[in-house]
């Protein structure tokens, strides 16, 4: 038995949307870490929540610099 196909549309309930965002963000960061380890690369991932809060993932030893320094 396979997984259900998820209909991609906006989740209307704010609480459910936040829970889904948190779970999927964690899964995305986990996959990013796996990709960095398997392919021996440095990876930076920045995700912004619905209210604009940034969440960062970095696989290397380099520090993330503010995008204001561009």
């Amino acid at each position: 038995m396979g997984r259900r196909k998820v209909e991609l549309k906006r989740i209307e309930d704010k609480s459910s949307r936040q829970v889904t965002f948190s779970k999927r963000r964690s899964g995305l960061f986990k996959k990013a870490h796996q990709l960095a380890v398997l392919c021996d690369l440095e990876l930076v991932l920045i995700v912004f929540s619905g209210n604009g809060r940034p969440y960062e993932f970095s696989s290397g030893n380099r520090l993330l610099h503010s995008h204001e320094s561009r």
Side-chain angles (χ1 to χ4, degrees), residues 37-66:
V37 170
L38 290 172
C39 298
D40 190 30
L41 52 86
E42 290 187 27
L43 188 88
V44 174
L45 182 63
I46 303 173
V47 177
F48 291 92
S49 68
N51 61 7
R53 181 176 178 196
Y55 294 89
E56 302 170 351
F57 168 83
S58 176
S59 65
N61 293 329
R62 296 182 187 181
L63 295 175
L64 292 178
H65 297 287
S66 171

Side-chain angles (χ1 to χ4, degrees), residues 1-67:
M1 183 183 281
R3 295 184 183 209
R4 288 187 317 183
K5 214 172 203 184
V6 176
E7 183 180 351
L8 291 179
K9 67 175 186 174
R10 184 175 190 268
I11 299 171
E12 295 302 324
D13 181 54
K14 191 173 183 177
S15 178
S16 296
R17 187 169 55 242
Q18 180 59 39
V19 169
T20 300
F21 172 75
S22 295
K23 288 181 179 180
R24 289 186 175 247
R25 183 189 68 228
S26 296
L28 181 62
F29 286 178
K30 182 178 178 180
K31 288 292 186 182
H33 178 265
Q34 291 172 354
L35 180 64
V37 170
L38 290 172
C39 298
D40 190 30
L41 52 86
E42 290 187 27
L43 188 88
V44 174
L45 182 63
I46 303 173
V47 177
F48 291 92
S49 68
N51 61 7
R53 181 176 178 196
Y55 294 89
E56 302 170 351
F57 168 83
S58 176
S59 65
N61 293 329
R62 296 182 187 181
L63 295 175
L64 292 178
H65 297 287
S66 171
H67 43 283

